[in-house]
């Protein structure tokens, strides 16, 4: 009797040549990409909305905003976890084109642009709700297909619109507060070094 075995981790395997091949045409992450590309970051008040000619170049605020929107939509609630996603999550790798900002850069972006991020979050979430992004119907955005719906619940009057706006504001504020609290908590935690990880692995192997 044998178990089902995985592959040898050191064996060579053939991955698709382009990272774009990993993200299907109807993947909602493409909506995030197109949405953020359409924004005027300077008008929204984002810091570093125009690149500097002097000093070390910063990350494009559009890339960090894409990361935060993805984190909000997928309940990733700390800068350290967002940093990890840039190295382990294929959707985030695609979204940021393999950029891997350090968690402090991610956290500083939130602190420097809190109001602008809140504004964009509310607009994006309202857009997704209006489309019912995970419904059964399909709409086209920038040549790509995404799930959407045109049900009665998406029709607004002034009263229902006010309620929906208030609800979105509460959800966004709760997320921003949660990620800030988690950042503070994680800043106290110690991260093990590469040498320490290797040492502990060696210790476990010796115990075995």
């Amino acid at each position: 009797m044998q178990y089902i075995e995985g592959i040898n981790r050191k064996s060579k395997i053939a991955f698709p040549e382009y990272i774009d091949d990993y993200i299907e045409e109807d993947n909602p992450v493409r909506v995030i990409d197109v949405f953020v590309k359409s924004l005027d970051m300077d008008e929204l008040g984002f810091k570093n909305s125009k690149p500097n000619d002097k000093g070390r170049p910063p990350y494009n605020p559009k890339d960090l905003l894409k990361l935060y929107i993805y984190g909000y939509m997928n309940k990733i609630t700390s800068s350290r976890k967002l940093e990890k996603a840039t190295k382990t999550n294929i959707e985030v790798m695609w979204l940021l084109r393999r950029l891997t900002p350090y968690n402090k850069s991610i956290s500083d972006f939130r602190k420097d642009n809190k109001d602008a991020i809140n504004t964009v979050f509310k607009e994006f979430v309202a857009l997704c709700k209006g489309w019912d992004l995970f419904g059964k119907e399909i709409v086209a955005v920038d040549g790509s297909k995404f799930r959407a719906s045109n049900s009665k619940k998406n029709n607004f009057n002034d009263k229902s619109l006010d309620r929906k706006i208030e609800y979105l504001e509460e959800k966004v504020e709760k997320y921003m507060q949660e990620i800030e609290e988690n950042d503070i908590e994680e800043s106290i935690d110690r991260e093990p070094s590469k040498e320490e990880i290797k040492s502990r692995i060696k210790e476990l192997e010796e115990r075995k």
Side-chain angles (χ1 to χ4, degrees), residues 100-112:
T100 55
Y102 185 57
N103 66 76
K104 187 179 186 305
S105 298
I106 297 169
S107 176
D108 287 345
F109 173 76
R110 187 195 75 252
K111 293 173 184 176
D112 293 340

Side-chain angles (χ1 to χ4, degrees), residues 62-98:
K62 286 193 173 185
D63 288 322
L64 294 173
L65 180 59
K66 290 176 189 177
L67 180 60
Y68 265 105
I69 293 176
Y70 184 91
Y72 176 79
M73 302 304 289
N74 291 275
K75 298 180 174 61
I76 304 175
T77 56
S78 80
S79 297
R80 191 177 291 180
K81 289 177 181 177
L82 287 171
E83 178 193 355
K84 183 177 181 180
T86 67
K87 302 171 184 175
T88 60
N89 184 317
I90 193 65
E91 291 181 335
V92 178
M93 291 180 189
W94 178 90
L95 193 60
L96 268 64
R97 307 179 317 283
R98 294 302 301 270

Side-chain angles (χ1 to χ4, degrees), residues 36 41 47-49 51 57-66 97 99 109:
V36 174
M41 303 297 276
K47 188 176 179 181
N48 294 322
S49 58
Y59 285 102
N60 188 328
K62 286 193 173 185
D63 288 322
L64 294 173
L65 180 59
K66 290 176 189 177
R97 307 179 317 283
L99 290 172
F109 173 76

Side-chain angles (χ1 to χ4, degrees), residues 169-185:
E169 288 175 345
E170 289 175 358
K171 292 285 286 184
V172 169
E173 184 60 34
K174 183 179 179 181
Y175 174 77
M176 295 296 281
Q177 184 177 347
E178 185 177 359
I179 201 169
E180 185 171 354
E181 290 172 354
N182 288 341
D183 280 355
I184 293 171
E185 186 175 338

